Amino acid sequence: MGFQIEHDRWTSDHLKGRRGDRLDALKRDHGYGNRMFVEQIWWPLVGHFHGLHPEYEVKDWRGRSYFVDFMWIVGAVRIIFEIMDFGSHGTDRTKYRRDLNRGLFLQAQDCSVYYISLDELKENSSFILSILRNILSPYLLAESAVNTTVRKPYSKIERDLMRAAIRHNRVIRPAEAAKELELHTMTVIKYCRILVDKGKFRAVARGVSGRVIYYEYVGSIQSPDLV
């Protein structure tokens, strides 16, 4: 299908799945520059929107929520794209400093962050496309190889839990994961037990009662099962 149809479907799916601040951010901020990025860069480069999240909520070093323009999640890898407009980022020194601090913090959290100039996007999009093609080619090849399989062996929730464990030093605590992934705690426990049976998680218990206090991811962080 063409870009317009897929873009409309993609944004519609995200709008339907959001509430509160997340919904407001998508309605408010997925505008001119962001749409230009997905139309002139992302679509020619990737050809689909799987794993790409617009206006994705993250936490900064103070625990405060804010929204990055795009988060691409492929396996255990998280890649952020920020479209930088000089008028909104370059004239306010405090905001400029805060934006750079957030980028440093996110990279410390195992995210790759790429800042893209809106002016360059408008005037020389072929340069950006060429650079990102070189940067992202290993991930695109890995994703393509996984997508050739007829059926994925792990559900979306299972993959989300494995990726969350990797982000937290291979450890999943059900109550914390439930909050992060917006799931019920019992749902997290259910799928953690399934992943134990599948050999991806190990249940860690303490005390005389043997109560499980967390689960540990024991797979590879480059496993195609994460995609």
Side-chain angles (χ1 to χ4, degrees):
M1 294 186 183
F3 167 78
Q4 188 63 55
I5 294 173
E6 288 299 307
H7 178 269
D8 291 348
R9 177 183 296 172
W10 174 63
T11 52
S12 177
D13 288 345
H14 279 281
L15 287 168
K16 290 176 183 176
R18 297 191 182 192
R19 300 289 184 274
D21 291 343
R22 294 181 178 184
L23 178 60
D24 292 341
L26 182 54
K27 288 180 176 179
R28 180 183 64 247
D29 296 327
H30 186 68
Y32 171 72
N34 290 16
R35 182 186 169 95
M36 183 181 294
F37 172 78
V38 294
E39 183 172 10
Q40 296 191 15
I41 306 299
W42 191 261
W43 184 255
L45 181 62
V46 183
H48 61 72
F49 295 105
H50 308 318
L52 186 68
H53 302 267
E55 299 304 324
Y56 189 89
E57 184 179 19
V58 296
K59 302 287 187 180
D60 67 14
W61 66 97
R62 301 161 297 184
R64 297 178 182 175
S65 293
Y66 76 103
F67 297 87
V68 296
D69 290 334
F70 299 99
M71 171 78 82
W72 186 38
I73 300 175
V74 53
V77 176
R78 297 186 300 163
I79 300 176
I80 290 170
F81 303 98
E82 290 275 52
I83 314 305
M84 305 296 283
D85 176 9
F86 178 78
S88 61
H89 293 85
T91 58
D92 184 334
R93 295 183 69 88
T94 300
K95 187 176 188 305
Y96 174 74
R97 177 181 178 182
R98 187 167 60 241
D99 287 343
L100 293 181
N101 283 342
R102 285 170 171 169
L104 285 174
F105 176 77
L106 287 168
Q107 291 180 71
Q109 304 303 305
D110 293 327
C111 292
S112 296
V113 183
Y114 297 103
Y115 294 104
I116 296 170
S117 162
L118 178 58
D119 289 338
E120 196 71 21
L121 188 57
K122 290 188 289 187
E123 298 173 12
N124 193 14
S125 62
S126 61
F127 168 75
I128 296 172
L129 180 60
S130 175
I131 295 299
L132 288 184
R133 179 178 287 116
N134 289 334
I135 292 171
L136 302 180
S137 59
Y139 309 111
L140 294 171
L141 289 171
E143 184 190 45
S144 176
V146 171
N147 288 338
T148 58
T149 59
V150 177
R151 180 177 179 274
K152 292 184 177 181
Y154 296 91
S155 69
K156 180 181 183 302
I157 293 178
E158 290 168 346
R159 296 195 305 275
D160 285 345
L161 286 169
M162 288 189 284
R163 291 194 292 255
I166 290 170
R167 291 197 297 272
H168 297 284
N169 298 317
R170 293 182 173 266
V171 169
I172 277 287
R173 300 183 188 278
E176 296 174 3
K179 184 177 180 181
E180 178 180 346
L181 300 175
E182 297 185 335
L183 298 169
H184 193 281
T185 301
M186 292 309 299
T187 300
V188 171
I189 292 173
K190 170 188 171 182
Y191 282 96
C192 284
R193 289 171 175 170
I194 291 173
L195 287 167
V196 169
D197 293 338
K198 290 182 175 182
K200 290 292 187 179
F201 276 9
R202 178 174 69 90
V204 179
R206 285 183 184 169
V208 178
S209 66
R211 183 175 66 89
V212 174
I213 58 171
Y214 66 85
Y215 294 85
E216 181 183 13
Y217 176 68
V218 295
S220 167
I221 63 172
Q222 296 180 337
S223 171
D225 297 326
L226 297 165
V227 180

